Amino acid sequence: SFPTRRSSDLDGENDLSMIREADHGIAMKGSSEELLREADYVTTRDCGEDGFAEAVFDYIIPTVKRSLRSSC
């Protein structure tokens, strides 16, 4: 199921440990290179450009739908 532990939607260097622990790590455009490498999904927009909405509609919702289909 999604998330089995939690999701992280992050854009700062201090968020690296949280994104590593999350089952579904999401980084915003413009995050540090290390954070971008660790993320499962990287938005094409930053927070000011509705990057969070992009993550919800383009990554989280499709992931939940796939999870629900596979559990039936």
Side-chain angles (χ1 to χ4, degrees), residues 36-57:
L36 295 173
R37 280 192 304 272
E38 294 288 331
D40 298 300
Y41 179 81
V42 178
T43 65
T44 60
R45 299 176 237 170
D46 63 28
C47 288
E49 301 170 318
D50 296 327
F52 180 78
E54 175 190 334
V56 169
F57 289 105

Side-chain angles (χ1 to χ4, degrees), residues 47-66:
C47 288
E49 301 170 318
D50 296 327
F52 180 78
E54 175 190 334
V56 169
F57 289 105
D58 294 351
Y59 180 75
I60 295 172
I61 291 173
T63 301
V64 169
K65 285 182 178 180
R66 280 191 303 274

